């Protein structure tokens, strides 16, 4: 519990910064929605000139883009990109802190099992994500209501906003798995590279259209356009998230318990 509290306190400042960043991206993009809506015909005719693969890669659906819910589902791709960096950084940072600061031996001489240390650290990172998402959902839904010309369907907005948490959960676990196999020098740089790679895979999937590719990147696990239209999740999306997180977490525990810890 002491490790959990220590890690959580150390994450509070960055949690606040990332929360402001995520809500800022949402506010900035939703702020231009009224202008989009007023110029819907012009923008639609312009976008029709783009290849379908480009529109899909950008998360644009011309049938829903000019409604507040559809526009919000479009911008979530870019909010998730920012959120992915936060989550990957948390996963990488909390488990590599001692090795980067060269005091792993000090921590592991305490009367606490390695598994308990990992649990406390991941618990603090998960708590940080929960705090971020609670605040993000409150602010983002409020922004959508403020810019809408008529009251939006709030449960759908909440469903859409929650996809950010599930994407971040995947990146948290993936980042944690990366941290136990590689020596990390820069948390932010590693997290950014990791997220950009998965983002590039999602772009490739949009152009190539291979069904298998979408399971390789968390950015494709949830189709926000379909959620906006159906007002529900696809059960396969949850199953994919569960499998990815389970594999990564099992790997983290096995590797953390068995690996040798350098004395300096």
């Amino acid at each position: 519990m002491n490790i959990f509290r220590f890690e959580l306190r150390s994450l509070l400042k960055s949690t606040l910064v990332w929360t402001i960043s995520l809500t800022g991206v949402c506010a900035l993009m939703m702020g231009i929605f009224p202008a989009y809506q007023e110029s819907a015909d012009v923008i639609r005719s312009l976008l029709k000139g783009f290849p379908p693969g480009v529109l899909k890669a950008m998360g644009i659906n011309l049938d829903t883009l000019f409604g507040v819910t559809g526009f919000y589902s479009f911008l979530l791709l870019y909010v998730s990109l920012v959120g992915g960096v936060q989550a990957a950084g948390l996963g990488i940072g909390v488990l590599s802190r001692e090795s980067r600061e060269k005091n792993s031996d000090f921590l592991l001489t305490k009367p606490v099992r390695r598994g308990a240390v990992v649990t406390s650290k991941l618990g603090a990172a998960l708590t940080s994500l929960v705090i971020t998402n609670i605040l993000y959902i409150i602010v983002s839904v409020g922004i959508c209501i403020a810019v809408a010309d008529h009251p939006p369907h709030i449960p759908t907005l909440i469903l859409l906003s929650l996809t950010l948490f599930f994407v971040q959960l995947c990146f948290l676990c993936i980042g944690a798995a990366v941290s136990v196999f590689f020596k990390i020098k820069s948390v932010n740089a590693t997290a950014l590279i990791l997220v950009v790679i998965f983002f590039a895979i999602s772009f490739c999937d949009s152009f190539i259209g291979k069904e298998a590719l979408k399971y390789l990147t968390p950015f494709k696990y949830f189709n926000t356009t379909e959620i906006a239209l159906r007002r529900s999740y696809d059960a396969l999306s949850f199953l994919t998230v569960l499998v990815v997180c389970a594999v990564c977490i099992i790997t983290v525990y096995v590797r953390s318990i068995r690996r040798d810890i350098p004395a300096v």
Side-chain angles (χ1 to χ4, degrees), residues 1-15 90 93-98 100-101 103 106-107 117 120-125 127-128:
M1 184 59 70
N2 289 334
I3 296 174
F4 173 82
R5 288 199 296 264
F6 172 81
E7 294 290 344
L8 187 58
R9 282 197 302 269
S10 68
L11 294 174
L12 285 179
K13 183 178 179 180
S14 64
T15 300
L90 282 171
V94 293
L95 292 183
S96 67
R97 186 196 308 276
E98 282 71 31
R100 284 182 287 111
E101 296 176 357
N103 58 8
F106 173 76
L107 175 63
V117 172
S120 296
K121 286 175 168 287
L122 291 180
T127 302
S128 174

Side-chain angles (χ1 to χ4, degrees), residues 143-210:
I143 292 172
C144 290
I145 293 172
V147 302
D149 55 350
H150 60 274
H153 191 253
I154 294 178
T156 302
L157 293 177
I158 294 175
L159 286 176
L160 288 168
S161 298
L162 280 171
T163 61
L164 171 63
F165 174 72
F166 296 122
V167 170
Q168 285 189 306
L169 189 61
C170 289
F171 276 112
L172 172 67
C173 296
I174 293 171
V178 168
S179 72
V180 298
F181 281 100
F182 300 97
K183 185 176 181 180
I184 306 298
K185 293 184 178 180
S186 173
V187 172
N188 291 333
T190 306
L192 182 60
I193 292 171
L194 186 66
V195 172
V196 167
I197 290 173
F198 282 108
F199 197 69
I201 294 174
S202 73
F203 261 66
C204 292
D205 172 66
S206 299
F207 285 103
I208 298 174
K210 293 290 185 180

Side-chain angles (χ1 to χ4, degrees), residues 9 30 36 137 162:
R9 282 197 302 269
M30 288 305 298
Y36 255 73
I137 290 173
L162 280 171

Side-chain angles (χ1 to χ4, degrees), residues 191-236:
L192 182 60
I193 292 171
L194 186 66
V195 172
V196 167
I197 290 173
F198 282 108
F199 197 69
I201 294 174
S202 73
F203 261 66
C204 292
D205 172 66
S206 299
F207 285 103
I208 298 174
K210 293 290 185 180
E211 185 72 13
L213 276 181
K214 73 177 185 179
Y215 297 108
L216 298 179
T217 170
F219 292 113
K220 286 293 185 178
Y221 293 166
F222 291 89
N223 188 326
T224 53
T225 300
E226 291 298 320
I227 294 172
L229 292 172
R230 297 179 181 178
R231 299 181 176 181
S232 62
Y233 292 133
D234 181 2
L236 185 59

